[in-house]
Amino acid sequence: MNIKLAALFSALIVAAPTVFAVELYKDDTNALNVGGYVDVRVINTQGQTEVVNGTSRINFSFERKLKNDWMALALVEWGVNPVGSSDIVYNNRFESIQDEFLYNRLGYAGLSHEKYGQLTIGKQWGAWYDVVYATNNSFVWDGNAAGVYTYNKDDGAVNGTGRGDKLVQYRNSYKKFDFTIQAQLKNDDFYTCDITDISQSQCQTLWESGDSAAQRVEFNSTFGSAVTYNVTKMLTLTAGVNRGEFDLTFGDGTTRSVEDLIYGAGIKWGDFNAPGLYVAANVNKNQNHDTDNLGRLIKDAIGVETFASYRFDNDLRPFIAYNLFDAGDDYVIQPNFNADPNDVFKRQFAVIGLHYLIDADTIAYVEARKDFGDFQSNNKEQQALMEQSEDDGIAIGFRYKL
């Protein structure tokens, strides 16, 4: 496998600067690698202290040489919960609260060629992640302002900006530029009602009766693209966009279309895993792309993430990160869960941490989060629920890479 193909495949595995894998088998045609890590931590947040899983995972990647310089490739990755079921909720919804010992993170297959690029199909990191991945280096409190982990900090599967489901993705490079385009080919429909404490089936029955408080929502294919400009070995610029569309049909027969759109740019200096200074930042504008902590769709928001670290010669790596996701007031589409249109949702926090690289693949760490968010509602119960998952916290952990 030549250098260019290897770089493309590595980028596709995690869309991140470094891939950790061990070769299990290789002959003149086939190769099999295993990668991943175990990450466990003790965390104190929301008045609780508990041992929890980090983002532990295991993956297997496959490569096969074909004729005419083509390469077949595939990858499957599962999240692993080595500490058992854990009910603490920090950072709201994220891998760390999965009850299953194994759960699906990635799975795709495709073809690659040095000249013609790479085509893959399956669950994989979206093109948008190419734009913003560089700030996603805090182990415990990952960025939640970049529009990746959408729908109340889930994995970005629904709209293809994170670990997108059902993606068809093409990647290629030209000189100092890397390009990614994708289509998420899916058909989703569900029912929502502007009534609290109602089940999906009850909401559907209400919609079928002609009640305008019920809506049938279709959210089907999405499309995205990204470009990376490798200015120098140290400096990288990124930009991209992702778009989908909600089609709403109300119980009384009226219809409405809502655009799910995010676009933005990023910058990175240095190598996070190399000695020395590393700095990254990104900014985005999004519409109907994410939800607040009550699951209400946000019609307009601005997201900013920054990250800076320095790895010293003694392998200590202190860092600081800042995240801002500002929906402001008047962000809730009406009618929606009987919400007050003047609710305020501003997620804002800083993280400081220290990683000690015992060796290249073994890391001990401590990280702390300080919340500066602003969450306001005339409904104090809803305000308390919005604030709960944005609490301060501190964690001590250990990561062992394969």
Side-chain angles (χ1 to χ4, degrees):
M1 186 182 235
N2 59 44
I3 294 175
K4 188 174 181 181
L5 280 176
L8 276 171
F9 187 50
S10 295
L12 187 58
I13 292 177
V14 294
T18 306
V19 175
F20 304 97
V22 175
E23 187 174 88
L24 294 182
Y25 175 80
K26 186 175 183 180
D27 59 26
D28 292 339
T29 303
N30 300 287
L32 169 62
N33 298 289
V34 61
Y37 53 77
V38 174
D39 186 337
V40 292
R41 61 190 60 148
V42 178
I43 185 168
N44 176 269
T45 188
Q46 299 178 31
Q48 300 182 70
T49 300
E50 193 166 349
V51 173
V52 297
N53 173 39
T55 55
S56 305
R57 69 199 61 178
I58 186 169
N59 59 63
F60 294 91
S61 60
F62 307 85
E63 304 163 8
R64 175 173 296 162
K65 292 181 180 179
L66 306 174
K67 52 188 175 180
N68 299 321
D69 296 323
W70 283 95
M71 180 75 67
L73 56 92
L75 181 136
V76 288
E77 180 174 276
W78 298 275
V80 181
N81 185 1
V83 302
S85 177
S86 179
D87 60 3
I88 189 170
V89 179
Y90 74 96
N91 213 12
N92 210 13
R93 291 185 56 80
F94 198 50
E95 296 99 328
S96 307
I97 63 170
Q98 292 285 344
D99 291 332
E100 300 86 356
F101 177 70
L102 287 174
Y103 53 95
N104 183 35
R105 283 177 56 91
L106 299 169
Y108 58 82
L111 297 171
S112 185
H113 190 278
E114 180 181 6
K115 179 180 179 181
Y116 302 116
Q118 182 169 276
L119 179 68
T120 50
I121 301 173
K123 182 175 177 66
Q124 53 196 305
W125 284 106
W128 176 252
Y129 195 55
D130 293 5
V131 181
V132 298
Y133 76 86
T135 56
N136 197 17
N137 289 309
S138 169
F139 290 170
V140 182
W141 286 280
D142 290 309
N144 285 295
V148 176
Y149 304 116
T150 56
Y151 291 11
N152 212 6
K153 306 166 189 170
D154 213 336
D155 72 349
V158 173
N159 41 25
T161 50
R163 295 189 298 275
D165 288 345
K166 301 180 180 181
L167 291 182
V168 178
Q169 189 177 90
Y170 174 75
R171 292 175 176 268
N172 208 343
S173 299
Y174 177 74
K175 294 184 177 179
K176 292 187 175 183
F177 290 90
D178 301 324
F179 304 93
T180 307
I181 58 173
Q182 72 180 36
Q184 185 179 33
L185 305 179
K186 63 186 181 67
N187 294 281
D188 290 337
D189 63 81
F190 53 92
Y191 295 88
T192 64
C193 287
D194 300 317
I195 300 171
T196 56
D197 299 324
I198 187 171
S199 68
Q200 180 80 189
S201 60
Q202 291 171 329
C203 185
Q204 180 177 353
T205 300
L206 196 65
W207 182 83
E208 291 171 347
S209 72
D211 195 314
S212 62
Q215 306 110 48
R216 182 176 185 269
V217 182
E218 293 184 45
F219 185 52
N220 298 321
S221 301
T222 70
F223 304 91
S225 62
V227 59
T228 299
Y229 177 32
N230 302 293
V231 183
T232 68
K233 185 177 180 181
M234 297 292 288
L235 178 62
T236 301
L237 305 177
T238 59
V241 62
N242 197 86
R243 184 189 182 279
E245 188 171 286
F246 297 92
D247 293 322
L248 287 74
T249 303
F250 293 85
D252 61 5
T254 58
T255 61
R256 181 181 180 185
S257 292
V258 177
E259 184 182 45
D260 171 358
L261 178 67
I262 186 168
Y263 56 92
I267 184 171
K268 175 175 73 77
W269 174 272
D271 181 344
F272 177 64
N273 292 288
L277 178 66
Y278 175 85
V279 179
N282 54 71
V283 60
N284 72 81
K285 180 76 169 63
N286 60 84
Q287 302 170 11
N288 310 306
H289 180 70
D290 209 343
T291 59
D292 67 5
N293 293 340
L294 297 175
R296 303 178 302 192
L297 194 65
I298 296 172
K299 65 179 180 181
D300 289 296
I302 294 174
V304 177
E305 291 191 2
T306 62
F307 184 95
S309 67
Y310 193 95
R311 180 175 172 180
F312 291 94
D313 292 338
N314 61 3
D315 293 323
L316 288 173
R317 182 173 61 200
F319 76 86
I320 184 168
Y322 170 78
N323 283 243
L324 170 67
F325 183 78
D326 190 359
D329 55 10
D330 191 29
Y331 71 87
V332 180
I333 298 175
Q334 294 292 327
N336 191 328
F337 293 90
N338 297 320
D340 182 343
N342 295 315
D343 283 2
V344 175
F345 186 79
K346 184 178 181 181
R347 177 183 294 137
Q348 183 176 210
F349 64 90
V351 180
I352 60 171
L354 179 65
H355 297 170
Y356 175 46
L357 286 76
I358 302 170
D359 63 23
D361 300 324
T362 310
I363 304 174
Y365 60 87
V366 57
E367 298 185 5
R369 181 188 195 272
K370 178 63 179 176
D371 181 63
F372 303 101
D374 184 11
F375 309 98
Q376 299 179 29
S377 176
N378 288 331
N379 185 322
K380 296 307 177 184
E381 181 180 351
Q382 290 187 349
Q383 180 175 324
L385 290 172
M386 283 197 291
E387 292 173 341
Q388 182 180 19
S389 63
E390 305 290 340
D391 204 0
D392 299 342
I394 187 168
I396 299 173
F398 181 78
R399 177 174 289 190
Y400 178 86
K401 302 173 187 173
L402 298 178

Short mmCIF file of all heavy atoms in Angstrom, two decimals, residues 68-111:
data_model
loop_
_atom_site.label_atom_id
_atom_site.label_comp_id
_atom_site.label_asym_id
_atom_site.label_seq_id
_atom_site.Cartn_x
_atom_site.Cartn_y
_atom_site.Cartn_z
N ASN A 68 -4.69 -3.59 -11.05
CA ASN A 68 -4.68 -2.22 -11.55
C ASN A 68 -4.58 -1.18 -10.44
O ASN A 68 -5.17 -0.09 -10.51
CB ASN A 68 -5.92 -1.95 -12.41
CG ASN A 68 -6.01 -2.86 -13.61
OD1 ASN A 68 -4.99 -3.16 -14.25
ND2 ASN A 68 -7.21 -3.32 -13.92
N ASP A 69 -3.84 -1.52 -9.37
CA ASP A 69 -3.55 -0.61 -8.26
C ASP A 69 -4.77 -0.25 -7.41
O ASP A 69 -4.73 0.73 -6.65
CB ASP A 69 -2.88 0.68 -8.75
CG ASP A 69 -1.52 0.41 -9.37
OD1 ASP A 69 -0.81 -0.47 -8.86
OD2 ASP A 69 -1.18 1.08 -10.36
N TRP A 70 -5.85 -1.00 -7.51
CA TRP A 70 -7.00 -0.77 -6.67
C TRP A 70 -6.81 -1.49 -5.33
O TRP A 70 -6.08 -2.47 -5.24
CB TRP A 70 -8.28 -1.27 -7.33
CG TRP A 70 -8.79 -0.34 -8.39
CD1 TRP A 70 -8.53 -0.42 -9.74
CD2 TRP A 70 -9.62 0.79 -8.20
NE1 TRP A 70 -9.15 0.61 -10.40
CE2 TRP A 70 -9.84 1.37 -9.48
CE3 TRP A 70 -10.23 1.39 -7.09
CZ2 TRP A 70 -10.62 2.50 -9.67
CZ3 TRP A 70 -11.00 2.52 -7.28
CH2 TRP A 70 -11.19 3.07 -8.55
N MET A 71 -7.46 -1.00 -4.31
CA MET A 71 -7.40 -1.57 -2.98
C MET A 71 -8.82 -1.67 -2.42
O MET A 71 -9.58 -0.71 -2.47
CB MET A 71 -6.55 -0.69 -2.05
CG MET A 71 -6.42 -1.20 -0.63
SD MET A 71 -5.28 -2.59 -0.50
CE MET A 71 -3.73 -1.76 -0.90
N ALA A 72 -9.19 -2.85 -1.90
CA ALA A 72 -10.44 -3.01 -1.17
C ALA A 72 -10.16 -2.80 0.31
O ALA A 72 -9.10 -3.20 0.81
CB ALA A 72 -11.03 -4.39 -1.42
N LEU A 73 -11.09 -2.20 1.02
CA LEU A 73 -10.88 -1.92 2.43
C LEU A 73 -12.20 -2.03 3.19
O LEU A 73 -13.29 -1.90 2.61
CB LEU A 73 -10.28 -0.53 2.63
CG LEU A 73 -11.03 0.67 2.02
CD1 LEU A 73 -12.00 1.27 3.03
CD2 LEU A 73 -10.05 1.72 1.52
N ALA A 74 -12.10 -2.29 4.47
CA ALA A 74 -13.28 -2.37 5.33
C ALA A 74 -12.85 -2.12 6.76
O ALA A 74 -11.68 -2.32 7.12
CB ALA A 74 -13.95 -3.73 5.21
N LEU A 75 -13.80 -1.66 7.57
CA LEU A 75 -13.53 -1.46 8.99
C LEU A 75 -14.81 -1.67 9.78
O LEU A 75 -15.90 -1.27 9.35
CB LEU A 75 -13.00 -0.05 9.26
CG LEU A 75 -12.67 0.24 10.74
CD1 LEU A 75 -11.35 0.97 10.87
CD2 LEU A 75 -13.80 1.05 11.38
N VAL A 76 -14.68 -2.34 10.92
CA VAL A 76 -15.77 -2.44 11.89
C VAL A 76 -15.23 -2.00 13.24
O VAL A 76 -14.10 -2.32 13.60
CB VAL A 76 -16.35 -3.87 11.97
CG1 VAL A 76 -17.14 -4.19 10.72
CG2 VAL A 76 -15.25 -4.90 12.19
N GLU A 77 -16.03 -1.21 13.97
CA GLU A 77 -15.60 -0.73 15.28
C GLU A 77 -16.78 -0.78 16.25
O GLU A 77 -17.89 -0.39 15.91
CB GLU A 77 -15.08 0.71 15.18
CG GLU A 77 -14.62 1.27 16.52
CD GLU A 77 -13.97 2.63 16.41
OE1 GLU A 77 -12.76 2.67 16.12
OE2 GLU A 77 -14.67 3.64 16.59
N TRP A 78 -16.48 -1.26 17.46
CA TRP A 78 -17.48 -1.31 18.51
C TRP A 78 -17.01 -0.51 19.72
O TRP A 78 -15.83 -0.55 20.08
CB TRP A 78 -17.74 -2.75 18.96
CG TRP A 78 -18.28 -3.64 17.89
CD1 TRP A 78 -19.59 -3.80 17.52
CD2 TRP A 78 -17.52 -4.50 17.05
NE1 TRP A 78 -19.69 -4.70 16.49
CE2 TRP A 78 -18.44 -5.16 16.18
CE3 TRP A 78 -16.16 -4.79 16.93
CZ2 TRP A 78 -18.03 -6.08 15.23
CZ3 TRP A 78 -15.75 -5.70 15.97
CH2 TRP A 78 -16.68 -6.34 15.14
N GLY A 79 -17.92 0.20 20.33
CA GLY A 79 -17.65 0.77 21.63
C GLY A 79 -17.70 -0.35 22.66
O GLY A 79 -18.51 -1.27 22.54
N VAL A 80 -16.84 -0.28 23.66
CA VAL A 80 -16.75 -1.30 24.70
C VAL A 80 -16.96 -0.64 26.05
O VAL A 80 -16.41 0.42 26.33
CB VAL A 80 -15.37 -2.00 24.67
CG1 VAL A 80 -15.29 -3.07 25.73
CG2 VAL A 80 -15.10 -2.58 23.28
N ASN A 81 -17.77 -1.28 26.91
CA ASN A 81 -17.98 -0.78 28.27
C ASN A 81 -17.32 -1.74 29.26
O ASN A 81 -17.94 -2.71 29.71
CB ASN A 81 -19.47 -0.65 28.56
CG ASN A 81 -19.73 -0.02 29.92
OD1 ASN A 81 -18.80 0.33 30.64
ND2 ASN A 81 -20.99 0.11 30.27
N PRO A 82 -16.05 -1.51 29.63
CA PRO A 82 -15.34 -2.47 30.47
C PRO A 82 -15.71 -2.40 31.95
O PRO A 82 -15.32 -3.28 32.72
CB PRO A 82 -13.87 -2.09 30.26
CG PRO A 82 -13.92 -0.63 29.99
CD PRO A 82 -15.18 -0.39 29.22
N VAL A 83 -16.43 -1.36 32.39
CA VAL A 83 -16.69 -1.19 33.82
C VAL A 83 -18.11 -1.62 34.20
O VAL A 83 -18.49 -1.50 35.36
CB VAL A 83 -16.46 0.27 34.26
CG1 VAL A 83 -15.04 0.69 33.94
CG2 VAL A 83 -17.47 1.21 33.62
N GLY A 84 -18.91 -2.09 33.26
CA GLY A 84 -20.28 -2.49 33.57
C GLY A 84 -21.23 -1.32 33.41
O GLY A 84 -20.85 -0.21 33.07
N SER A 85 -22.52 -1.58 33.66
CA SER A 85 -23.55 -0.57 33.50
C SER A 85 -23.34 0.56 34.49
O SER A 85 -23.06 0.35 35.66
CB SER A 85 -24.93 -1.20 33.70
OG SER A 85 -25.94 -0.23 33.63
N SER A 86 -23.50 1.80 33.99
CA SER A 86 -23.30 2.97 34.84
C SER A 86 -24.42 3.96 34.58
O SER A 86 -24.70 4.29 33.43
CB SER A 86 -21.95 3.62 34.53
OG SER A 86 -21.76 4.76 35.32
N ASP A 87 -25.06 4.45 35.64
CA ASP A 87 -26.21 5.32 35.45
C ASP A 87 -25.90 6.79 35.68
O ASP A 87 -26.78 7.62 35.59
CB ASP A 87 -27.37 4.89 36.35
CG ASP A 87 -27.00 4.96 37.83
OD1 ASP A 87 -25.88 5.38 38.15
OD2 ASP A 87 -27.85 4.59 38.65
N ILE A 88 -24.65 7.13 35.98
CA ILE A 88 -24.33 8.54 36.13
C ILE A 88 -24.43 9.23 34.77
O ILE A 88 -24.06 8.66 33.74
CB ILE A 88 -22.91 8.74 36.72
CG1 ILE A 88 -22.68 10.21 37.07
CG2 ILE A 88 -21.83 8.26 35.79
CD1 ILE A 88 -21.42 10.46 37.87
N VAL A 89 -24.95 10.42 34.74
CA VAL A 89 -25.10 11.16 33.50
C VAL A 89 -24.21 12.39 33.57
O VAL A 89 -24.47 13.30 34.35
CB VAL A 89 -26.56 11.58 33.25
CG1 VAL A 89 -26.67 12.38 31.96
CG2 VAL A 89 -27.45 10.35 33.18
N TYR A 90 -23.14 12.38 32.83
CA TYR A 90 -22.31 13.58 32.71
C TYR A 90 -22.20 13.89 31.24
O TYR A 90 -22.17 13.01 30.39
CB TYR A 90 -20.92 13.38 33.34
CG TYR A 90 -19.99 12.51 32.56
CD1 TYR A 90 -19.07 13.08 31.68
CD2 TYR A 90 -20.04 11.13 32.68
CE1 TYR A 90 -18.22 12.28 30.95
CE2 TYR A 90 -19.20 10.33 31.94
CZ TYR A 90 -18.29 10.91 31.09
OH TYR A 90 -17.45 10.10 30.36
N ASN A 91 -22.21 15.17 30.96
CA ASN A 91 -22.20 15.59 29.55
C ASN A 91 -23.42 15.04 28.82
O ASN A 91 -23.40 14.81 27.62
CB ASN A 91 -20.91 15.13 28.85
CG ASN A 91 -20.48 16.13 27.80
OD1 ASN A 91 -21.01 17.23 27.74
ND2 ASN A 91 -19.53 15.74 26.99
N ASN A 92 -24.47 14.79 29.62
CA ASN A 92 -25.75 14.28 29.12
C ASN A 92 -25.55 12.98 28.35
O ASN A 92 -25.06 12.02 28.89
CB ASN A 92 -26.46 15.34 28.28
CG ASN A 92 -27.96 15.19 28.37
OD1 ASN A 92 -28.46 14.46 29.22
ND2 ASN A 92 -28.68 15.85 27.50
N ARG A 93 -25.94 12.89 27.06
CA ARG A 93 -25.87 11.62 26.35
C ARG A 93 -24.55 11.51 25.60
O ARG A 93 -24.20 12.37 24.81
CB ARG A 93 -27.04 11.49 25.37
CG ARG A 93 -28.37 11.32 26.09
CD ARG A 93 -29.46 11.07 25.09
NE ARG A 93 -29.16 9.91 24.24
CZ ARG A 93 -29.34 8.66 24.60
NH1 ARG A 93 -29.82 8.38 25.80
NH2 ARG A 93 -29.07 7.67 23.76
N PHE A 94 -23.85 10.42 25.85
CA PHE A 94 -22.59 10.17 25.16
C PHE A 94 -22.25 8.71 25.34
O PHE A 94 -22.95 7.98 26.03
CB PHE A 94 -21.49 11.08 25.72
CG PHE A 94 -20.30 11.22 24.82
CD1 PHE A 94 -20.45 11.55 23.48
CD2 PHE A 94 -19.03 11.02 25.31
CE1 PHE A 94 -19.36 11.68 22.66
CE2 PHE A 94 -17.92 11.15 24.49
CZ PHE A 94 -18.09 11.47 23.16
N GLU A 95 -21.17 8.20 24.71
CA GLU A 95 -20.87 6.77 24.78
C GLU A 95 -20.79 6.26 26.22
O GLU A 95 -21.09 5.12 26.50
CB GLU A 95 -19.56 6.44 24.09
CG GLU A 95 -19.54 6.70 22.62
CD GLU A 95 -18.88 8.02 22.32
OE1 GLU A 95 -18.98 8.95 23.14
OE2 GLU A 95 -18.26 8.13 21.26
N SER A 96 -20.33 7.10 27.10
CA SER A 96 -20.01 6.66 28.45
C SER A 96 -21.20 6.11 29.22
O SER A 96 -21.01 5.46 30.25
CB SER A 96 -19.40 7.82 29.22
OG SER A 96 -18.33 8.36 28.51
N ILE A 97 -22.42 6.35 28.78
CA ILE A 97 -23.57 5.85 29.52
C ILE A 97 -24.22 4.65 28.84
O ILE A 97 -25.31 4.24 29.21
CB ILE A 97 -24.61 6.97 29.73
CG1 ILE A 97 -25.16 7.45 28.38
CG2 ILE A 97 -24.04 8.11 30.53
CD1 ILE A 97 -26.35 8.38 28.53
N GLN A 98 -23.56 4.07 27.86
CA GLN A 98 -24.11 2.88 27.22
C GLN A 98 -24.14 1.71 28.20
O GLN A 98 -23.18 1.47 28.93
CB GLN A 98 -23.25 2.49 26.00
CG GLN A 98 -23.33 3.48 24.85
CD GLN A 98 -24.64 3.38 24.09
OE1 GLN A 98 -25.35 2.39 24.23
NE2 GLN A 98 -24.95 4.38 23.31
N ASP A 99 -25.27 0.99 28.21
CA ASP A 99 -25.39 -0.16 29.10
C ASP A 99 -24.77 -1.42 28.50
O ASP A 99 -24.32 -2.30 29.21
CB ASP A 99 -26.87 -0.43 29.41
CG ASP A 99 -27.47 0.66 30.28
OD1 ASP A 99 -26.70 1.27 31.04
OD2 ASP A 99 -28.69 0.87 30.19
N GLU A 100 -24.77 -1.53 27.17
CA GLU A 100 -24.28 -2.74 26.52
C GLU A 100 -22.76 -2.84 26.63
O GLU A 100 -22.06 -1.84 26.64
CB GLU A 100 -24.67 -2.76 25.05
CG GLU A 100 -26.17 -2.70 24.78
CD GLU A 100 -26.71 -1.28 24.73
OE1 GLU A 100 -25.92 -0.34 24.98
OE2 GLU A 100 -27.90 -1.11 24.46
N PHE A 101 -22.27 -4.08 26.71
CA PHE A 101 -20.82 -4.27 26.70
C PHE A 101 -20.24 -3.89 25.35
O PHE A 101 -19.16 -3.30 25.27
CB PHE A 101 -20.47 -5.73 27.02
CG PHE A 101 -18.99 -6.00 26.96
CD1 PHE A 101 -18.14 -5.46 27.92
CD2 PHE A 101 -18.45 -6.76 25.94
CE1 PHE A 101 -16.77 -5.68 27.86
CE2 PHE A 101 -17.08 -7.00 25.88
CZ PHE A 101 -16.24 -6.46 26.84
N LEU A 102 -20.93 -4.21 24.26
CA LEU A 102 -20.53 -3.82 22.91
C LEU A 102 -21.65 -3.05 22.23
O LEU A 102 -22.82 -3.42 22.36
CB LEU A 102 -20.19 -5.05 22.06
CG LEU A 102 -18.90 -5.81 22.36
CD1 LEU A 102 -18.85 -7.07 21.51
CD2 LEU A 102 -17.68 -4.94 22.08
N TYR A 103 -21.31 -1.98 21.52
CA TYR A 103 -22.30 -1.25 20.73
C TYR A 103 -21.61 -0.67 19.49
O TYR A 103 -20.42 -0.35 19.51
CB TYR A 103 -22.98 -0.16 21.55
CG TYR A 103 -22.03 0.81 22.23
CD1 TYR A 103 -21.69 2.02 21.64
CD2 TYR A 103 -21.47 0.50 23.47
CE1 TYR A 103 -20.83 2.90 22.27
CE2 TYR A 103 -20.59 1.37 24.10
CZ TYR A 103 -20.29 2.57 23.50
OH TYR A 103 -19.42 3.44 24.11
N ASN A 104 -22.37 -0.54 18.41
CA ASN A 104 -21.82 -0.17 17.12
C ASN A 104 -21.36 1.28 17.08
O ASN A 104 -22.11 2.19 17.45
CB ASN A 104 -22.88 -0.41 16.04
CG ASN A 104 -22.35 -0.11 14.65
OD1 ASN A 104 -21.18 -0.33 14.36
ND2 ASN A 104 -23.21 0.41 13.80
N ARG A 105 -20.12 1.51 16.63
CA ARG A 105 -19.62 2.86 16.40
C ARG A 105 -19.40 3.13 14.92
O ARG A 105 -19.79 4.17 14.42
CB ARG A 105 -18.29 3.07 17.14
CG ARG A 105 -18.44 3.32 18.64
CD ARG A 105 -17.06 3.45 19.28
NE ARG A 105 -16.26 4.48 18.68
CZ ARG A 105 -16.23 5.75 19.09
NH1 ARG A 105 -16.96 6.14 20.11
NH2 ARG A 105 -15.46 6.64 18.49
N LEU A 106 -18.73 2.20 14.23
CA LEU A 106 -18.42 2.37 12.80
C LEU A 106 -18.53 1.03 12.10
O LEU A 106 -18.35 -0.02 12.71
CB LEU A 106 -17.00 2.92 12.61
CG LEU A 106 -16.67 4.28 13.21
CD1 LEU A 106 -15.17 4.53 13.16
CD2 LEU A 106 -17.42 5.40 12.50
N GLY A 107 -18.79 1.09 10.79
CA GLY A 107 -18.80 -0.12 9.98
C GLY A 107 -18.99 0.24 8.52
O GLY A 107 -20.03 0.78 8.14
N TYR A 108 -17.99 -0.02 7.69
CA TYR A 108 -18.07 0.36 6.28
C TYR A 108 -17.11 -0.47 5.45
O TYR A 108 -16.22 -1.15 5.96
CB TYR A 108 -17.76 1.86 6.10
CG TYR A 108 -16.40 2.27 6.62
CD1 TYR A 108 -15.25 2.07 5.87
CD2 TYR A 108 -16.27 2.84 7.88
CE1 TYR A 108 -14.01 2.44 6.34
CE2 TYR A 108 -15.04 3.21 8.37
CZ TYR A 108 -13.90 3.01 7.59
OH TYR A 108 -12.67 3.37 8.08
N ALA A 109 -17.30 -0.40 4.14
CA ALA A 109 -16.41 -1.07 3.19
C ALA A 109 -16.33 -0.21 1.94
O ALA A 109 -17.21 0.63 1.68
CB ALA A 109 -16.93 -2.47 2.84
N GLY A 110 -15.25 -0.41 1.15
CA GLY A 110 -15.11 0.39 -0.06
C GLY A 110 -13.89 0.04 -0.87
O GLY A 110 -13.22 -0.98 -0.64
N LEU A 111 -13.59 0.93 -1.81
CA LEU A 111 -12.46 0.79 -2.74
C LEU A 111 -11.62 2.05 -2.71
O LEU A 111 -12.13 3.15 -2.50
CB LEU A 111 -12.96 0.53 -4.16
CG LEU A 111 -13.75 -0.76 -4.40
CD1 LEU A 111 -14.35 -0.74 -5.81
CD2 LEU A 111 -12.85 -1.98 -4.22
#
